[in-house]
Amino acid sequence: MPFPFCFRYRGLILLLTFLIYTCYHMSRKPISIVKSQLHQNCSELERPDNNSNSTTWCYWAPFDQDNYSQLLGGVDDAFLIAYAVGMFISGIFGERLPLRYYLFAGMLLSGIFTSLFGLGYYWNIHQLWYYVLVQIFNGLAQTTGWPSVVTCIGNWFGKGKRGFIMGIWNSHTSVGNILGSLIAGIWVDSAWGLSFIVPGVVIAVMGLISFFFLVEYPEDVNCTPPQHHNGPVEDLGTSVDSVAGHCSDRKSRTEGAGCSKESNEKLEAISFLGALRIPGVMEFSLCLLFAKLVSYTFLFWLPLYIVNVAHFGSKEAGDLSTLFDVGGIIGGILAGIISDYTNGRATTCCVMLIVAAPLLFLYNSVGQNGISSSIVMLIICGALVNGPYALITTAVSADLGTHKSLRGNAKALSTVTAIIDGTGSIGAALGPLLAGLISPTGWNNVFYMLISSDVLACLFLSRLVYKEIQAWKRSMNRNRG
């Protein structure tokens, strides 16, 4: 097809997948905003009437206990553990099912379970098991999103400026968090059930739109598939022998372009162990475990931290927490640009994580001294914390899912993405859980835990950073020669 036609389709896919995952994150954010409403400081509020039940007029049972932090952390972990476990399975289904059907089912179910959490307010439900069960099913449903959208983007966009393109595209995470915070903030003080129901309806409607308009392969509209490798590339580790088979149709091979859709459909989807053997998958997965631990601790606990430390109201704390996600947009784009320019994905992540560690300590020390310092520190910390997380879950996942050791088999992208993000989701589950357990001992200890996680994330990338530095030295020697 003519180039402008295919260019417009690529733009449509980029926009549509951006909106799809924006809705996924928008539906996850309300719980962090509503937490401060489920357990308030009743002494500062006027009781509506003398006959009100003292345990429910201000608090929302069952979160009216002294161990409310652990209970709220348990609700978070119900979602995150289910998400982590489901992600490893989701990638396998994503390789074998049409993405339009898979995304539609996942988004519809996500909308239903998000809304059911909010309906607990209107149905006057005070049983912990209800909220935990809803979060478990919601976590499983939400695993359909990430492998699907990354696979679709990988099908449409080659390696050339992948870091820059995906850095901009990955801002959907922060945009979704911001929208989720703002929407939840509208009703958090009056009827917090709507803080969940409205995002639930939006993600279900977006699922219907994706069903009608998402195009999985460029070949489906007679467009040329992208090049995934531009000539020889440096391996991230020891080469993998026959991780996947060669393309069966030699005519389908163009220089670095891989296989056509028809030949790929004849290839078997890569196994779980086969995907683990791709060079770099293990290192980036373990790095993401700790990077995502930090990011999701902020995602689920930052508004409550601002309420407790800076003494803002629930709505004001929710609005202020969006600045962390604004920083995340900036950090994701910068990480993509730098890694494209230097061809050093691991080094870019490592440098940002190293700089983030002392700045997290600084934010906890001085960030709440005034509104101006809080704004500046939240943006900077958001950029440094979410930059590596964004780079690994997008450009790095797409690079490894189309690695040259796969020899043209495009049926690995969803599985590789699921392994990396699934391992990271274990950290995402651990972070909020640890924050809930540690926060009663003081918020300083929570930040020590986050700083330690950043350092560990760097250590897992040390081998890849060394190899990238060696590759740069060889390149400089060749240029001098």
Side-chain angles (χ1 to χ4, degrees):
M1 294 295 290
F3 175 77
F5 173 84
C6 295
F7 183 80
R8 286 195 297 270
Y9 254 102
R10 283 187 169 87
L12 173 64
I13 296 302
L14 204 64
L15 176 62
L16 190 56
T17 51
F18 180 94
L19 294 175
I20 287 171
Y21 213 69
T22 294
C23 291
Y24 272 99
H25 258 266
M26 178 186 65
S27 65
R28 297 177 195 175
K29 184 65 177 176
I31 183 63
S32 68
I33 306 299
V34 174
K35 275 179 182 175
S36 58
Q37 189 69 19
L38 297 176
H39 190 97
Q40 305 179 70
N41 186 353
C42 297
S43 62
E44 298 179 357
L45 301 174
E46 181 180 354
R47 186 176 298 190
D49 61 74
N50 293 329
N51 296 323
S52 293
N53 187 327
S54 61
T55 62
T56 59
W57 79 268
C58 173
Y59 303 141
W60 185 269
F63 307 106
D64 54 348
Q65 308 298 319
D66 292 336
N67 64 337
Y68 73 96
S69 292
Q70 289 87 340
L71 295 178
L72 290 170
V75 171
D76 291 340
D77 258 44
F79 174 91
L80 293 168
I81 292 174
Y83 185 87
V85 173
M87 183 60 73
F88 292 106
I89 304 170
S90 181
I92 298 172
F93 284 112
E95 300 286 9
R96 294 161 174 81
L97 297 175
L99 292 185
R100 287 193 308 119
Y101 295 95
Y102 195 49
L103 272 172
F104 171 65
M107 296 180 82
L108 181 62
L109 289 172
S110 296
I112 291 172
F113 290 119
T114 300
S115 299
L116 282 174
F117 196 103
L119 287 170
Y121 172 81
Y122 293 99
W123 294 342
N124 205 29
I125 295 176
H126 296 280
Q127 284 74 40
L128 182 64
W129 65 263
Y130 172 83
Y131 298 103
V132 169
L133 197 62
V134 167
Q135 287 291 77
I136 289 173
F137 285 116
N138 196 14
L140 292 173
Q142 293 243 339
T143 60
T144 57
W146 191 240
S148 300
V149 294
V150 173
T151 298
C152 193
I153 287 293
N155 290 341
W156 277 89
F157 292 90
K159 190 173 182 180
K161 295 295 180 183
R162 182 178 279 164
F164 173 63
I165 291 172
M166 286 195 161
I168 296 174
W169 175 76
N170 192 66
S171 62
H172 52 50
T173 299
S174 297
V175 172
N177 291 340
I178 291 169
L179 288 175
S181 298
L182 296 177
I183 291 172
I186 295 173
W187 294 286
V188 65
D189 292 323
S190 56
W192 61 259
L194 287 173
S195 298
F196 292 90
I197 294 171
V198 172
V201 172
V202 172
I203 190 174
V205 171
M206 193 65 215
L208 188 63
I209 293 172
S210 68
F211 178 79
F212 287 111
F213 295 102
L214 186 69
V215 180
E216 183 175 350
Y217 292 100
E219 299 90 332
D220 290 338
V221 287
N222 296 321
C223 290
T224 305
Q227 290 187 199
H228 289 301
H229 301 290
N230 298 323
V233 295
E234 185 72 24
D235 268 338
L236 289 172
T238 307
S239 62
V240 178
D241 294 328
S242 301
V243 172
H246 291 278
C247 299
S248 59
D249 184 2
R250 288 183 175 271
K251 292 182 181 180
S252 68
R253 291 187 181 182
T254 59
E255 186 178 350
C259 304
S260 68
K261 178 188 172 186
E262 289 78 8
S263 58
N264 266 315
E265 286 176 344
K266 296 176 184 177
L267 294 170
E268 291 184 2
I270 192 170
S271 68
F272 184 87
L273 292 177
L276 282 177
R277 290 198 297 269
I278 298 172
V281 167
M282 285 293 294
E283 288 94 336
F284 276 112
S285 296
L286 293 172
C287 172
L288 185 63
L289 187 152
F290 290 99
K292 204 166 181 179
L293 183 154
V294 178
S295 181
Y296 267 65
T297 301
F298 275 96
L299 174 67
F300 281 91
W301 286 93
L302 181 58
L304 186 61
Y305 168 77
I306 295 173
V307 168
N308 289 345
V309 176
H311 307 293
F312 285 99
S314 298
K315 186 181 186 305
E316 291 78 10
D319 293 342
L320 190 61
S321 70
T322 61
L323 294 173
F324 184 82
D325 295 298
V326 171
I329 295 173
I330 298 170
I333 295 172
L334 283 177
I337 294 173
I338 294 169
S339 66
D340 277 342
Y341 180 76
T342 61
N343 197 26
R345 309 281 199 218
T347 305
T348 301
C349 292
C350 197
V351 170
M352 295 183 81
L353 289 167
I354 289 172
V355 177
L359 284 175
L360 287 176
F361 178 83
L362 188 63
Y363 169 64
N364 185 46
S365 301
V366 303
Q368 303 300 335
N369 289 346
I371 188 69
S372 299
S373 61
S374 185
I375 289 172
V376 171
M377 291 302 299
L378 278 171
I379 292 174
I380 295 174
C381 289
L384 294 172
V385 167
N386 286 335
Y389 162 40
L391 186 63
I392 294 172
T393 53
T394 54
V396 170
S397 296
D399 288 349
L400 296 177
T402 55
H403 194 267
K404 71 175 186 178
S405 63
L406 294 168
R407 302 182 182 185
N409 185 358
K411 284 185 169 289
L413 187 51
S414 183
T415 301
V416 169
T417 301
I419 289 173
I420 293 176
D421 200 49
T423 307
S425 297
I426 296 173
L430 285 174
L433 174 64
L434 292 174
L437 295 173
I438 297 172
S439 59
T441 68
W443 285 102
N444 286 344
N445 295 329
V446 175
F447 275 84
Y448 294 147
M449 179 265 291
L450 298 178
I451 293 168
S452 301
S453 299
D454 267 341
V455 174
L456 287 171
C458 289
L459 291 177
F460 281 111
L461 290 182
S462 56
R463 185 183 74 89
L464 302 184
V465 170
Y466 175 77
K467 292 188 73 68
E468 288 178 354
I469 293 172
Q470 293 299 107
W472 292 335
K473 288 181 178 179
R474 287 194 294 271
S475 178
M476 290 173 65
N477 290 335
R478 283 196 299 267
N479 290 337
R480 288 187 187 130

